[in-house]
Amino acid sequence: LERGVPYFIEVIATNDIGSTKSDVICNATITVPDKPNVNATPQFVNETRLEICWTVENGGAEILNSNVTWSKFPNFTSEETAHGSRLMEHACMWTGNRKDLTKGTVYYTKVEATNCVGSSIPTVQKFHTLCDPGQPAQPNVVSSGHSSQLMLKVPSFCVCCPITGYIVRDSSNNQLSSSHVVADHNVTITITGLNGGTEYTVQVSAINNRSWEGPLSEPVTFNTTKDASLGSDGKDHIF
């Protein structure tokens, strides 16, 4: 019989008196497991460890093993194999995990299942491990005063870890009060609570949706404008 092909079966019993037919049943011969159905989004345990889960139809025979192969190359020229394990007894749900992946790196996974007939067509996926935000470029000073504004380009980041904010630190590594507005690929950061007539050296870092802070930008130094007051002659004086 051909593998994986349904056949109709009818049993006929005969004696001296006559024949009796059984009900017609349809059974398929066994074949290799189907192509595994892998969850579209890996579950990251942390930035260097993730878990993937998959289901697979067994082709009519018990699955002997189901493996996931990891590689940094799409053609799997350099690969490492980790055996999958069943999540539940008598179920075709499998899981595989790695805990020594490199942060911020592209990986490829290849999942396949094997029964007594052979191995399935593999399912290949590409994913990117989590990473810190990139280093911002040195900011430009747009205006200086009690509220000073800096402008910089949005730094690089992982798609799965979007940037959610920015931190401004002075030369003593103190965090300054600030807010930011993103327009296209630029960020305008407003620093508040500065003293007039004071020199500041600041650096900016980005923070992502996992509260991971990236590296600081190159420092930028600026002087806030001096405060003005009315003198006895009714004119503005800078002090």
Side-chain angles (χ1 to χ4, degrees), residues 92-161:
C92 290
M93 175 73 78
W94 297 74
T95 181
N97 71 80
R98 279 288 298 276
K99 60 182 179 181
D100 57 349
L101 301 176
T102 303
K103 197 173 182 179
T105 303
V106 173
Y107 282 90
Y108 298 85
T109 58
K110 180 171 61 177
V111 177
E112 54 190 346
T114 303
N115 62 11
C116 62
V117 178
S119 297
S120 67
I121 297 172
T123 298
V124 176
Q125 285 188 319
K126 174 184 176 181
F127 64 92
H128 200 294
T129 52
L130 305 181
C131 62
D132 297 328
Q135 181 185 31
Q138 186 182 44
N140 294 318
V141 180
V142 179
S143 63
S144 58
H146 289 281
S147 293
S148 297
Q149 286 191 330
L150 307 175
M151 181 172 287
L152 67 153
K153 295 288 185 182
V154 174
S156 61
F157 61 92
C158 300
V159 175
C160 51
C161 296

Side-chain angles (χ1 to χ4, degrees), residues 29 202 204 225:
T29 53
V202 300
V204 179
T225 55

Side-chain angles (χ1 to χ4, degrees), residues 48-51 70 80-82 96-101 107:
T48 61
R49 180 176 180 177
L50 63 77
E51 180 179 270
W70 314 75
E80 299 175 34
T81 300
N97 71 80
R98 279 288 298 276
K99 60 182 179 181
D100 57 349
L101 301 176
Y107 282 90

Side-chain angles (χ1 to χ4, degrees), residues 147-217:
S147 293
S148 297
Q149 286 191 330
L150 307 175
M151 181 172 287
L152 67 153
K153 295 288 185 182
V154 174
S156 61
F157 61 92
C158 300
V159 175
C160 51
C161 296
I163 293 173
T164 56
Y166 295 86
I167 297 175
V168 181
R169 300 183 186 276
D170 63 17
S171 55
S172 299
N173 204 36
N174 296 314
Q175 185 173 331
L176 303 177
S177 178
S178 64
S179 60
H180 72 277
V181 176
V182 180
D184 296 326
H185 300 292
N186 295 316
V187 183
T188 301
I189 300 176
T190 302
I191 312 170
T192 56
L194 302 180
N195 297 319
T198 305
E199 180 181 273
Y200 286 90
T201 298
V202 300
Q203 292 173 280
V204 179
S205 61
I207 191 167
N208 65 19
N209 62 342
R210 288 180 171 256
S211 300
W212 297 345
E213 184 178 355
L216 290 165
S217 68

Side-chain angles (χ1 to χ4, degrees), residues 33-38 54-57 66 111-113 120-123:
D34 289 352
K35 184 177 180 180
N37 181 23
V38 183
W54 65 94
T55 58
V56 58
E57 295 295 331
S66 190
V111 177
E112 54 190 346
S120 67
I121 297 172
T123 298

